[in-house]
Amino acid sequence: MPIDLLPLLLPVPFIFAAVIAFVLPGGRPRLSLRAAEAAALIALAGAAASILALTFLGPSTSPLIGIGGISLSARLDAISVTMMSLVSFIGWIVIRYSVTYLDGEARQGAFTGWLCLTLASVLMLVTAGGLSQLVFGWVGAGLFLQRLLLFYPKRLAARRAARKAGIIARLGDLALISAAVLLAAAYETADLGEILTSARAGEGGIPAVVAAGLIALAGILKSAQFPVHGWLTEVMEAPTPVSAMLHAGVINAGGFVLIRLADVILLAPGILALLVMIGGFTALFSSLVMLTQPAVKTSLAWSTVAQMGFMILQCGLALFPLALLHIVAHSLYKAHSFLASGGAVERVNAIRRPGPVAIPNAGAVGRAFLTALTIYLFIGLGFGLMNKAPQVIALGAIVVFGVAYMLAQGFADAAPAALTRRTALYAALTSAAYFGLQTAVSRLTVDVLPATPNPGPLEWGLTALAVMSFGLVAVIQAMFPLWAHHPAAAGFRVHLSNGFYANAVFDRLIGSWTARRPS
């Protein structure tokens, strides 16, 4: 078998496992569970083999295979091997976790089947070499995920959340299908490699620009960006393995499509600016709402919305390699967070931490941010800071603001010296990790993803606005203990915890409040 065909065959074991699960349904379906785990291990082995093939043979596209009049092919490059490795690994972990978590559930067999079909669809999406395969993987992942969200169909909240997720998913499907039709017409081919090569040369005209807008719309919808973020924060009625699969896997589909079609997106600078504004606002808004949530899983859901907003911001700044790195890091972190959420509650209750170790005043906050930025600049110079794109420098500053928030406690008057040294070390390590990983991922994707273009006046303005906005929010968070108990803050906290009711407005617009209770 040619090694080029290997990525194309990765979904097949999951499809066979799904068939077994549906044929042998019911509680404790041992054969289907073993088949699902075997499929995940086969996919992991295939991903490892693909990495070796990419390392020694270089990027390639498999020959076209016709199935039912549809031509399928797979791309073997840094993006596809990264995503197939990530999906296979997280899929294996979720399958193993669900064996114990759902042990004895009457519909465990059906759950395993839908989970396998979801993983098969995501693998089809991330390895796609043509538009038809990209669309089928995208649509399939959304449809099968909706079945997982309805694992407890008698729960009204689960039905309402699944309905809302379905509406958003179908709108995203329509946007991506329309974009695929326009791309096929503009470039007279459905092969992704040819489309991206032509787009990088500036070809495509108005149809390609319109397609870029539709791709961005699909990515925004799939990534739960404001104001259509509510469906992601309401799917907590589904079992924990579904939450882990959604927040660590399927939710990344929007970002992946933006990264895969980056050359097309760059044809529309206005679309990039829109991604910066929507992604940046979503990240800031959701990160503040997250701090007010009392439930662990709900807080993690808002965290995912914020992280997806930050990823969309990276795509808008044309930092596509960093967006790919963000997907990997966030997926691994969020899968662990959801699967360990029950234990986290027990650990927090056992610790009973009363609050921050030391409360910083305005002077301590100022010194902390100045110190963090100084450390960032010195370490950045060692990584060739002056040769980096302005967007890369700005994004690094935003990342360091998060460390400065912690550093402020170390600079408080009541802080122990050990805390000050430790937080300063965190700032140094974060800066070094940012530049080191950015350099590594940029080199790995140099022949796959387009270089970040020089910013124009609009890009400079949006970049500066993003840095100032994230810096202001970080300062507010650092000084939160000083005004948290003020009477005005209590009312603000209530409104903030409800997301300023944007989701309630969206509910009324789509009519989900009319969902009837099951008879």
Side-chain angles (χ1 to χ4, degrees):
M1 180 188 68
I3 194 66
D4 294 341
L5 292 177
L6 186 57
L8 190 63
L9 298 177
L10 290 184
V12 175
F14 283 112
I15 295 174
F16 278 118
V19 171
I20 294 174
F22 290 129
V23 172
L24 300 173
R28 296 181 178 174
R30 297 184 182 278
L31 181 59
S32 59
L33 293 174
R34 290 175 180 172
E37 186 172 356
L41 290 174
I42 292 172
L44 268 175
S50 298
I51 293 175
L52 292 175
L54 178 64
T55 302
F56 293 104
L57 302 178
S60 63
T61 301
S62 67
L64 292 176
I65 297 179
I67 301 178
I70 300 174
S71 297
L72 301 178
S73 65
R75 288 178 64 84
L76 185 66
D77 57 22
I79 299 176
S80 63
V81 298
T82 298
M83 293 302 298
M84 73 174 76
S85 301
L86 179 66
V87 172
S88 301
F89 177 70
I90 291 179
W92 174 58
I93 296 296
V94 170
I95 287 172
R96 284 186 58 84
Y97 183 89
S98 63
V99 170
T100 303
Y101 185 88
L102 298 174
D103 184 43
E105 290 276 0
R107 301 181 62 245
Q108 187 177 14
F111 175 90
T112 303
W114 294 121
L115 179 59
C116 287
L117 288 179
T118 303
L119 290 168
S121 298
V122 177
L123 283 173
M124 179 182 292
L125 170 69
V126 301
T127 60
L131 290 174
S132 58
Q133 188 179 347
L134 188 80
V135 168
F136 277 118
W138 173 281
V139 174
L143 290 174
F144 299 137
L145 174 67
Q146 193 167 4
R147 300 297 304 179
L148 291 173
L149 296 177
L150 287 170
F151 182 75
Y152 297 116
K154 292 185 178 181
R155 294 184 180 180
L156 179 62
R159 292 170 55 194
R160 184 169 56 242
R163 181 188 179 197
K164 186 184 295 187
I167 292 173
I168 298 300
R170 299 298 78 77
L171 291 174
D173 296 346
L174 180 61
L176 188 65
I177 292 171
S178 301
V181 172
L182 285 173
L183 290 176
Y187 296 104
E188 299 181 348
T189 180
D191 182 81
L192 282 176
E194 296 180 15
I195 290 173
L196 296 177
T197 299
S198 300
R200 189 170 297 191
E203 302 174 5
I206 298 299
V209 174
V210 175
L214 291 170
I215 294 166
L217 176 60
I220 288 170
L221 292 170
K222 183 71 81 173
S223 300
Q225 299 298 283
F226 184 90
V228 295
H229 59 281
W231 68 269
L232 186 61
T233 62
E234 291 185 2
V235 296
M236 297 299 102
E237 288 293 324
T240 296
V242 179
S243 299
M245 189 69 244
L246 167 61
H247 290 260
V250 179
I251 192 69
N252 295 319
F256 167 78
V257 169
L258 290 174
I259 294 169
R260 172 56 80 194
L261 299 174
D263 291 290
V264 177
I265 300 295
L266 287 179
L267 294 175
I271 298 300
L272 291 173
L274 187 64
L275 291 176
V276 170
M277 291 185 284
I278 293 177
F281 179 80
T282 301
L284 292 171
F285 171 75
S286 302
S287 63
L288 289 174
V289 176
M290 176 192 69
L291 298 177
T292 66
Q293 300 305 304
V296 173
K297 289 181 67 176
T298 305
S299 178
L300 288 173
W302 279 102
S303 170
T304 296
V305 177
Q307 293 293 333
M308 291 300 101
F310 198 68
M311 182 197 63
I312 294 295
L313 169 69
Q314 291 170 323
C315 291
L317 294 174
L319 300 175
F320 296 105
L322 281 173
L324 179 63
L325 178 64
H326 192 128
I327 286 179
V328 175
H330 174 258
S331 296
L332 296 174
Y333 156 73
K334 197 52 62 74
H336 174 268
S337 296
F338 269 102
L339 297 180
S341 57
V345 174
E346 296 177 358
R347 289 191 295 272
V348 170
N349 291 335
I351 295 173
R352 296 181 181 176
R353 180 177 296 173
V357 176
I359 299 178
N361 55 25
V365 172
R367 292 194 301 273
F369 276 78
L370 181 61
T371 301
L373 288 174
T374 302
I375 292 173
Y376 169 74
L377 291 175
F378 271 103
I379 292 180
L381 290 173
F383 284 90
L385 181 68
M386 305 308 296
N387 297 322
K388 303 286 185 182
Q391 297 95 319
V392 173
I393 300 173
L395 192 75
I398 291 173
V399 172
V400 170
F401 286 153
V403 181
Y405 159 68
M406 296 187 299
L407 194 61
Q409 289 190 38
F411 277 73
D413 294 335
L419 178 62
T420 304
R421 292 192 297 269
R422 187 165 65 248
T423 51
L425 177 62
Y426 291 161
L429 291 177
T430 299
S431 301
Y434 171 76
F435 283 113
L437 291 172
Q438 184 270 330
T439 301
V441 73
S442 296
R443 289 177 179 175
L444 288 174
T445 58
V446 65
D447 296 324
V448 183
L449 291 174
T452 302
N454 293 324
L458 176 61
E459 289 77 14
W460 272 112
L462 289 174
T463 302
L465 178 62
V467 172
M468 290 187 293
S469 299
F470 278 90
L472 177 62
V473 170
V475 170
I476 292 174
Q477 289 178 332
M479 300 185 66
F480 179 77
L482 295 176
W483 54 270
H485 300 292
H486 191 279
F492 179 76
R493 184 185 182 92
V494 171
H495 300 309
L496 186 62
S497 66
N498 287 282
F500 291 106
Y501 313 101
N503 189 38
V505 173
F506 187 68
D507 280 344
R508 289 188 175 273
L509 288 177
I510 66 174
S512 63
W513 60 274
T514 61
R516 294 176 295 181
R517 294 184 180 276
S519 56

